[in-house]
Amino acid sequence: MKTVAVYPGSFDPPTYGHLDIIGRGSHVFSKVIVAVAFNIRKQTMFTPEERVGMLRTLTGPMGNVEVDAFDGLLADYAVAKGANVVLRGLRAVSDFEFEFQMAHVNRKLAPKLDTVIMMTGEKHIYISSSIVKEVARLRGKIDDMVPELVRDRVVAKIREQE
Ligand code: COA
């Protein structure tokens, strides 16, 4: 059976933690669709197009990964794309409550859509997109958190904003 997974997030910016989940997901599922959410409540550093562009470059070498952007309900988007799984990464117990709620809401909205949670690799459990931006703004090194391409874009964005 073909299992298509949607991996949603704001990816502002994408980090090694996200890439860890995408890479491992690509070995488990027939296809992984990385779905960049726009019109989210968060104020973002990068436009949806910029986030999609970075993710396309980073996941290019993984043959079965597609990058797309979506608006509205994740469940509707996943069904429209023919996906049967929502892929999510869990970093710590603090993530659990939100994931638990989200999985139930999505299954209520689309009963054939199941959520699969992968444990984020231990090297990456402390990373979040906000931490990357904060450390970079304060001139700290972010090389262990994001690939070079993302580091350079974050640093350039901060320079532009200052
Ligand atoms: N490694 C490192 N960091 C990770 C990570 C991982 N594996 N997984 C998540 N994170 C970080 C993210 O970078 C993000 O950091 P930030 O808060 O500093 O930006 C944080 O953890 C939270 O990530 P996530 O839970 O994926 O939230 P998000 O804002 O990136 O995405 C959506 C949330 C878009 C998936 C969710 O709001 C959604 O589905 N929206 C659509 C509307 C909808 O259907 N709502 C009803 C369903 S609940």
Side-chain angles (χ1 to χ4, degrees), residues 9-10 17-18 37 42 72-74 88 91 102 120 127 129-130:
S10 45
H18 297 127
K42 288 178 183 175
L73 280 178
L74 172 65
R88 297 284 295 167
R91 289 164 302 167
M102 197 170 143
T120 301
I127 306 174
S129 300
S130 306

Side-chain angles (χ1 to χ4, degrees), residues 7-13 15-18 21 37 40 42 70 72-75 88-91 95 98-99 101-102 105-106 109 120 124 127-131 133:
Y7 179 51
S10 45
F11 305 106
D12 186 57
T15 68
Y16 278 134
H18 297 127
I21 300 291
I40 41 173
K42 288 178 183 175
F70 81 103
L73 280 178
L74 172 65
R88 297 284 295 167
L90 199 72
R91 289 164 302 167
D95 283 345
F98 178 60
E99 295 307 329
Q101 187 183 32
M102 197 170 143
V105 170
N106 285 329
L109 294 168
T120 301
H124 312 300
I127 306 174
S128 74
S129 300
S130 306
I131 285 289
K133 289 177 280 191

Side-chain angles (χ1 to χ4, degrees), residues 6 33-35 66 68-71 73-82:
V6 169
I33 303 171
V34 181
E66 179 187 315
D68 192 16
F70 81 103
D71 199 6
L73 280 178
L74 172 65
D76 290 346
Y77 171 79
V79 170
K81 293 296 276 188

Side-chain angles (χ1 to χ4, degrees), residues 42 53-54 71 92 144 146 150:
K42 288 178 183 175
M54 283 189 271
D71 199 6
D144 289 342
V146 294
V150 176

